[in-house]
């Protein structure tokens, strides 16, 4: 079967779904192809922190109603080390900006409902997506859906299929460069049935390694501890995880970890990754398909949102004003922000984790950096402006 659309979008993560909605707002037609089921997409536990710019966009698009009702606005974070907590007052340091805790899978439920509610095409369980002729004026996507093989002719293709997707492989190696770093640790993430232990997120450095206390809802906590990236989750009993959390979060402050049953646990690897350029011919990569950051800076989803905002803007200028310049500038425009976020995420990761090979000198450097960050207003402002997110036109 043959089909046609203006923009073929591969992947129904935050990047793909938001792009489809942004384009629909401008009257631009698209089809979103997703390999997983709707149930799987809406159940994947990932990000929690939304930057102010992401929140503002969702509200402006009429997608913020549940987020505003169920999400929680945070005006600061805590950096904890040597048993002492130090608050970074994000809002005070950034002229009134804040972050919102609202889980990625809830954002996805809102985006899927909006797309389907508008009657937009969004196909789940799509198999064997393959890209052809991306460097021509008529790129195509072949895929199988409900046992039917389809050739989708497009004006443009948006590769929003995440780090393990197929789109990136359509960029010839001869024109692209990959920048990458893997870290000698992973994160063991858990969901715990207990009310939040704190009103704000706690990023803790300890001799035993990093830990993070976050939340998902008034009844659910999300927490992470640094671990060996090759470790097996089956080796970690709930008691071991709890013991490690308690030990790493020890403080002289009157604070206690609220505990309850652990209902989910998994280990994830940490890496930094960027492909340059983020475009080739009529293929544009957005989100994790083009770049990965370690989660310490809470930037991944927010970067995906910034990418598709630029892409939607550039495609709108193409269709409505016959302008090519914004499309041509897409990669350079996105990469400025991407590299800023890469640096911030690498910096937060380096400051807060124990590196197995670090000597005592290196550890003193790390402590000096932590100390400076909490004692100097200039250093705290720098952390705060990156954490709440730089303006879109950065
Ligand atoms: P996604 O979310 O990976 O979506 C890609 C979609 O494409 C589909 N797909 C395909 N579809 C069709 N054909 C194919 N061949 C396909 N191959 C793949 C996939 O099934 C999937 O549905 O990428 P996207 O849209 O670029 O979004 C990126 C974000 O999901 C990611 O950056 C964040 O989750 C990162 N992240 C965080 N970001 C934040 O901004 N704030 C945070 O607090 C934050 N915390 C986190 C995080 C990521 C984490 N993990 C698990 C990596 C915490 C964690 C633990
Ligand atoms: C989360 O709530 O999952 C979360 C929060 C902050 C991070 C990373 C993950 O830096």
């Amino acid at each position: 079967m043959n089909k046609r659309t203006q923009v073929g979008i591969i992947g129904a993560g935050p990047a793909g779904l938001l792009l489809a909605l942004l384009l629909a707002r401008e009257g631009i037609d698209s089809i979103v192809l997703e390999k997983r089921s709707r149930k799987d997409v809406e159940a994947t536990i990932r990000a929690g922190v939304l930057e102010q710019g992401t929140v503002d966009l969702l509200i402006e698009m009429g997608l913020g109603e549940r987020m505003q009702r169920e999400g929680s606005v945070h005006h600061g974070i805590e950096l904890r080390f040597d048993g002492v907590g130090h608050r970074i007052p994000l809002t005070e340091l950034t002229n009134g900006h804040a972050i919102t805790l609202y889980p990625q899978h809830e954002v996805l439920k809102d985006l899927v409902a909006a797309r389907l509610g508008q009657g937009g095409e969004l196909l789940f369980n799509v198999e064997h997506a393959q890209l052809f002729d991306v460097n021509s004026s008529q790129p195509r996507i072949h895929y199988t859906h409900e046992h039917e093989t389809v050739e989708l002719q497009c004006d443009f293709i948006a590769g929003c299929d995440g780090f393990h997707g197929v789109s990136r492989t359509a960029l010839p190696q001869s024109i692209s460069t990959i920048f990458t770093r893997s870290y000698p640790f992973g994160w063991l993430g858990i969901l715990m049935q207990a009310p939040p232990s704190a009103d704000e997120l706690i990023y803790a450095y300890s001799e035993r390694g990093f830990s993070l206390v976050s939340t998902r809802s008034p009844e659910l906590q999300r927490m992470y501890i640094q671990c060996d990236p090759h470790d097996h989750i089956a080796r970690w009993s709930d008691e071991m995880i709890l013991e490690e959390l308690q030990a790493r979060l020890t403080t002289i402050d009157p604070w206690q970890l609220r505990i309850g049953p652990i209902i989910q646990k998994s280990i994830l690897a940490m890496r930094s990754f960027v492909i340059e350029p983020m475009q080739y011919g009529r293929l544009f990569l957005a989100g994790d398909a083009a770049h990965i950051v370690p989660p310490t800076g809470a930037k991944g989803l927010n970067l995906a949102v910034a990418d598709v905002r630029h892409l939607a803007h550039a495609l709108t200028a193409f269709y409505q004003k016959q302008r090519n310049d914004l499309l041509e500038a897409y990669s350079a425009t996105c990469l400025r922000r991407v590299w800023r976020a890469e640096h911030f995420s690498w910096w937060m990761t380096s400051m807060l984790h124990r590196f197995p090979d670090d000597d005592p000198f290196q550890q003193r450097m790390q402590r000096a950096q932590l100390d400076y960050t909490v004692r100097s207003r200039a250093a705290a402002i720098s952390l705060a402006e990156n954490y709440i997110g730089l303006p879109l036109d950065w």
Side-chain angles (χ1 to χ4, degrees):
M1 182 173 68
N2 286 329
K3 286 178 88 159
R4 229 205 89 72
T5 188
Q6 288 175 304
V7 184
I9 301 176
I10 310 182
L17 288 167
L18 193 59
L19 178 62
L21 290 164
L22 285 164
L23 293 176
R25 197 164 69 155
E26 302 296 340
I28 301 167
D29 178 50
S30 68
I31 297 182
V32 185
L33 308 173
E34 167 58 47
K35 79 170 179 191
R36 295 186 296 157
S37 67
R38 178 176 181 180
K39 190 162 166 260
D40 281 359
V41 167
E42 293 185 344
T44 309
I45 306 290
R46 291 182 96 178
V49 175
L50 305 183
E51 289 176 359
Q52 180 86 50
T54 302
V55 167
D56 292 346
L57 177 67
L58 293 173
I59 294 171
E60 179 203 315
M61 293 181 70
L63 299 165
E65 195 247 327
R66 212 161 60 90
M67 172 185 69
Q68 285 178 295
R69 202 175 56 236
E70 294 173 19
S72 54
V73 177
H74 288 206
H75 298 286
I77 56 169
E78 178 180 326
L79 292 188
R80 186 178 291 186
F81 56 99
D82 292 341
V84 182
H86 305 265
R87 182 168 189 263
I88 306 286
L90 299 173
T91 301
E92 183 196 320
L93 295 172
T94 57
N95 299 323
H97 294 283
I99 51 152
T100 296
L101 267 271
Y102 185 61
Q104 178 165 333
H105 64 275
E106 301 295 348
V107 175
L108 285 171
K109 283 183 202 165
D110 297 343
L111 298 181
V112 168
R115 174 72 177 167
L116 296 176
Q118 291 176 0
E121 268 204 272
L122 163 54
L123 308 181
F124 292 99
N125 304 305
V126 165
E127 293 176 295
H128 315 303
Q130 273 188 294
L131 292 76
F132 295 95
D133 301 333
V134 297
N135 199 23
S136 77
S137 58
Q138 285 205 317
R140 292 170 292 127
I141 307 171
H142 283 193
Y143 61 91
T144 307
H145 187 241
E146 292 174 347
H147 309 293
E148 188 160 22
T149 303
V150 181
E151 176 174 297
L152 178 64
Q153 289 191 354
C154 316
D155 295 340
F156 298 96
I157 297 177
C160 303
D161 46 355
F163 186 64
H164 301 287
V166 288
S167 303
R168 197 171 58 245
T169 59
L171 255 84
Q173 284 179 11
S174 55
I175 64 118
S176 58
T177 310
I178 283 172
F179 303 85
T180 187
R181 174 132 314 172
S182 63
Y183 297 85
F185 40 74
W187 276 14
L188 191 166
I190 61 161
L191 278 179
M192 183 187 275
Q193 250 167 4
S197 297
D199 293 338
E200 297 176 343
L201 269 62
I202 304 171
Y203 289 80
Y205 170 88
S206 112
E207 301 278 309
R208 303 173 72 100
F210 170 73
S211 55
L212 168 60
V213 181
S214 178
T215 60
R216 279 293 175 271
S217 70
E219 303 85 31
L220 261 193
Q221 293 191 98
R222 175 74 166 154
M223 293 187 278
Y224 301 94
I225 49 177
Q226 174 184 350
C227 67
D228 180 335
H230 308 296
D231 212 342
H232 296 286
I233 193 65
R235 216 187 56 78
W236 284 84
S237 66
D238 292 0
E239 293 70 37
M240 275 166 71
I241 296 172
L242 254 183
E243 212 174 288
E244 206 49 49
L245 273 169
Q246 302 272 21
R248 293 181 191 197
L249 289 161
T250 302
T251 170
I252 55 165
D253 304 325
W255 178 88
Q256 270 201 325
L257 184 68
R258 293 236 175 102
I259 57 173
I262 294 175
I263 56 168
Q264 205 210 59
K265 52 184 172 184
S266 61
I267 291 179
L268 54 125
M270 310 263 285
R271 70 164 73 75
S272 301
F273 176 96
V274 180
I275 188 164
E276 288 189 5
M278 289 169 55
Q279 67 194 86
Y280 174 58
R282 289 191 163 216
L283 167 66
F284 296 84
L285 301 180
D288 279 13
H291 40 72
I292 293 285
V293 285
T296 329
K299 287 281 158 267
L301 184 156
N302 294 294
L303 272 184
V305 170
D307 286 354
V308 295
R309 259 181 115 152
H310 285 306
L311 186 52
H313 190 48
L315 288 166
T316 304
F318 175 87
Y319 283 112
Q320 293 177 1
K321 303 203 175 95
Q322 291 75 48
R323 278 176 59 182
N324 256 316
D325 54 327
L326 295 182
L327 282 173
E328 282 162 11
Y330 171 74
S331 181
T333 308
C334 292
L335 283 169
R336 194 178 314 125
R337 181 190 201 84
V338 167
W339 278 113
R340 176 86 295 281
E342 288 287 344
H343 180 271
F344 177 67
S345 306
W346 164 85
W347 176 78
M348 284 282 277
T349 303
S350 308
M351 178 169 72
L352 287 161
H353 290 74
R354 272 305 288 264
F355 285 70
D357 293 336
D358 272 0
D359 60 13
F361 179 82
Q362 195 57 36
Q363 285 169 21
R364 287 287 190 274
M365 293 292 96
Q366 208 171 12
R367 295 281 274 281
Q369 181 63 56
L370 277 167
D371 207 36
Y372 179 56
T373 305
V374 301
R375 289 172 67 88
S376 152
R377 189 173 164 86
I381 288 176
S382 172
L383 186 157
E385 83 162 347
N386 280 280
Y387 194 85
I388 63 104
L390 290 153
L392 181 69
D393 59 1
W394 169 256

